[in-house]
Amino acid sequence: MLTLTLDGSIVTVAMPTIQRDLGFTSAGLSWVVNAYLIAFGSLLLLAGRLGDLLGRTRMFLAGTAVFTVASLLAGAATTPAILIGARFLQGVGSAMASAVGLGILITLFSEPRERARAIGVFAFTGAAGASIGQVLGGLLTDALSWHWIFFINLPIGVVAYLVARRVLPADRGIGLAAGADVIGAALVTAGLMLGIYTVVKVEEHGWVSPHTLGLGAVSLVLLAGFVVRQATARTPLMPLRVLRSRSVAGANLVQALMVAALFSFQIIVALHLQNVLGYGASATGLALLPAAVVIGSVSLGVSARLNTRFGERTVLLSGIALLIGALGFLTRIPVDARYATDVLPVMLLAAGFGLALPALTSLGMSGAGKDDAGLASGLFNTTQQIGMAIGVAVLTTLAAARTDRLLGEGHSRAEALTGGYQLAFTIGTGLLVAAFAVAFLVLRPARRAERAEV
């Protein structure tokens, strides 16, 4: 799971090298990331439900195998088309494996304290994977070549596959007859794929262009059709009862707001370090390393104990408050920022993600029954990917627009870039404030009796 998450960010610092080596155009280069994101985000819900029907362990193993083979193809790519195709296939494998990951944990660990610890480890992989990806991507690209950012997945994938076959229990699922909604699968997959494609192309076409508005409208129609289908189908792909849980619905909304702010924050901080402060690939990755360390330490070391003692809602609110402080600090980052005083404190405040994500994951899975665990897992991961895509598209587009405006007013390139990034951090802070409000108003604290049982 760490490798699947890491793979979404490991290519970011290697992009210039890949462009020079394979002859990508500026527009075509973005598809090294977008191909992965579109396949990953659009197939999670379908993969999660198929895991319930066919067996979650079987789906996890198949996804791991697909991802590993696709990594070999990506590393050996000699043309842009081969690399983009391999990245799409990586996204397919990632969706298959990660969609059922939480479902496997929920069914394996039924005792509350053990489940809290397991979810803490799972949350660490998601929170730290993106940060580690940028560190590892920079080091591998500088020390070896960009090919190794994909080849590194091969030994990990093989070992993970072999260990999973040995330790994960075999399960046959509840059978295709319990929910093989082919029409619903086609509607949601097409709707999500088209929607994510529309979002990632916003920077190229603009928010009010015919391209964006037209495809966005078609995507919404497809997704609306999916909802209608789920309300009327005899064996729906996603039974709407899953969303009746206040905790599940609220947690998914909070997650969308959080990841929209935080994934964009990670990308924009890296851009500021390289484009304004002049950091190289390896230096940028190492500058982000403290965030990964504190997130991992908190999510693995203390989050489970805090969740069992104070309840997930309280811990979630505390974590979001720290993250608001982190992004709020960056809204005034200067052009001549110093790492020790202007960047490092933000990396340390990122510990809030290590508090928030395990608590949010527990809440997001709390309303799922045994037969729907894979579906709820796929829904939670789908929300995460959609939040990332929309957040990056919105914040980077607005930052670029402000940068262009400041350049037109006569500001230096460094000042204009910094002004654009400050706007993005301000909007990200607003998204986190909204996430705090939703968590406070919608998510209910655990009853004392429930805590006593824990």
Side-chain angles (χ1 to χ4, degrees):
M1 292 304 300
L2 178 66
T3 306
L4 299 181
T5 307
L6 176 152
D7 209 69
S9 64
I10 196 171
V11 301
T12 55
V13 294
M15 298 276 273
T17 305
I18 293 174
Q19 182 177 17
R20 290 192 301 269
D21 195 11
L22 295 186
F24 272 97
T25 64
S26 296
L29 184 63
S30 65
W31 284 97
V32 177
V33 174
N34 293 343
Y36 181 83
L37 182 63
I38 289 172
F40 193 0
S42 61
L43 293 173
L44 279 165
L45 194 58
L46 174 59
R49 189 55 179 168
L50 288 177
D52 289 331
L53 301 179
L54 302 175
R56 286 182 283 274
T57 297
R58 186 180 300 174
M59 182 63 67
F60 182 84
L61 290 171
T64 302
V66 171
F67 176 82
T68 304
V69 172
S71 297
L72 175 62
L73 295 176
T78 55
T79 67
I82 293 176
L83 181 56
I84 291 172
R87 288 288 287 166
F88 187 89
L89 190 59
Q90 277 188 311
V92 173
S94 293
M96 294 169 65
S98 63
V100 296
L102 272 175
I104 291 174
L105 287 186
I106 294 302
T107 53
L108 283 180
F109 299 96
S110 57
E111 195 275 322
R113 189 177 299 274
E114 286 187 347
R115 177 178 290 185
R117 291 179 61 191
I119 288 178
V121 175
F122 184 90
F124 161 73
T125 69
S131 297
I132 295 172
Q134 291 186 317
V135 176
L136 192 60
L139 294 175
L140 288 174
T141 300
D142 286 346
L144 298 171
S145 72
W146 65 265
H147 299 275
W148 284 93
I149 66 175
F150 301 115
F151 287 148
I152 192 68
N153 296 332
L154 301 182
I156 299 173
V158 170
V159 171
Y161 182 88
L162 295 176
V163 172
R165 287 198 62 176
R166 183 178 181 87
V167 303
L168 294 182
D171 61 332
R172 295 186 176 276
I174 58 178
L176 286 175
D181 180 13
V182 177
I183 295 176
L187 286 170
V188 71
T189 302
L192 287 174
M193 189 170 290
L194 185 59
I196 295 172
Y197 169 81
T198 303
V199 169
V200 300
K201 297 292 284 184
V202 160
E203 189 171 358
E204 179 180 339
H205 295 279
W207 284 102
V208 295
S209 68
H211 179 277
T212 300
L213 295 178
L215 293 184
V218 174
S219 174
L220 290 176
V221 169
L222 290 171
L223 293 176
F226 169 72
V227 173
V228 172
R229 171 70 182 179
Q230 300 318 288
T232 57
R234 186 174 62 86
T235 56
L237 174 68
M238 188 187 80
L240 296 181
R241 66 176 180 272
V242 174
L243 295 177
R244 293 174 188 164
S245 166
R246 191 183 181 108
S247 293
V248 172
N252 275 278
L253 179 56
V254 171
Q255 179 182 227
L257 294 167
M258 276 182 54
V259 299
L262 296 173
F263 189 66
S264 304
F265 145 78
Q266 183 184 50
I267 291 175
I268 293 171
V269 166
L271 290 173
H272 186 270
L273 291 173
Q274 294 190 55
N275 295 337
V276 177
L277 302 184
Y279 284 40
S282 297
T284 299
L286 292 173
L288 298 172
L289 184 59
V293 172
V294 296
I295 290 171
S297 299
V298 171
S299 60
L300 291 175
V302 300
S303 64
R305 292 196 295 272
L306 292 176
N307 284 336
T308 54
R309 181 171 181 178
F310 299 107
E312 288 88 354
R313 179 177 179 268
T314 300
V315 175
L316 172 62
L317 291 172
S318 300
I320 296 176
L322 287 176
L323 295 172
I324 291 172
L327 264 68
F329 193 84
L330 287 173
T331 60
R332 300 179 63 84
I333 190 169
V335 176
D336 56 349
R338 296 182 178 180
Y339 182 78
T341 57
D342 297 310
V343 179
L344 183 58
V346 176
M347 298 295 106
L348 299 179
L349 285 172
F353 201 49
L355 289 175
L357 191 59
L360 191 60
T361 304
S362 296
L363 290 168
M365 295 297 294
S366 61
K370 182 178 179 181
D371 291 342
D372 293 328
L375 170 62
S377 174
L379 175 63
F380 196 73
N381 284 292
T382 299
T383 304
Q384 185 179 85
Q385 294 302 314
I386 292 174
M388 287 180 180
I390 293 176
V392 170
V394 172
L395 269 66
T396 56
T397 299
L398 293 176
R402 183 168 186 181
T403 296
D404 291 340
R405 186 167 60 253
L406 291 174
L407 286 172
E409 294 173 358
H411 292 272
S412 68
R413 181 175 182 273
E415 290 173 338
L417 286 170
T418 301
Y421 299 151
Q422 287 174 340
L423 175 63
F425 294 137
T426 301
I427 297 172
T429 303
L431 291 173
L432 289 174
V433 170
F436 186 95
V438 172
F440 183 80
L441 296 172
V442 176
L443 300 178
R444 294 171 176 168
R447 293 187 296 242
R448 291 183 179 178
E450 292 172 347
R451 291 186 192 174
E453 292 177 4
V454 174

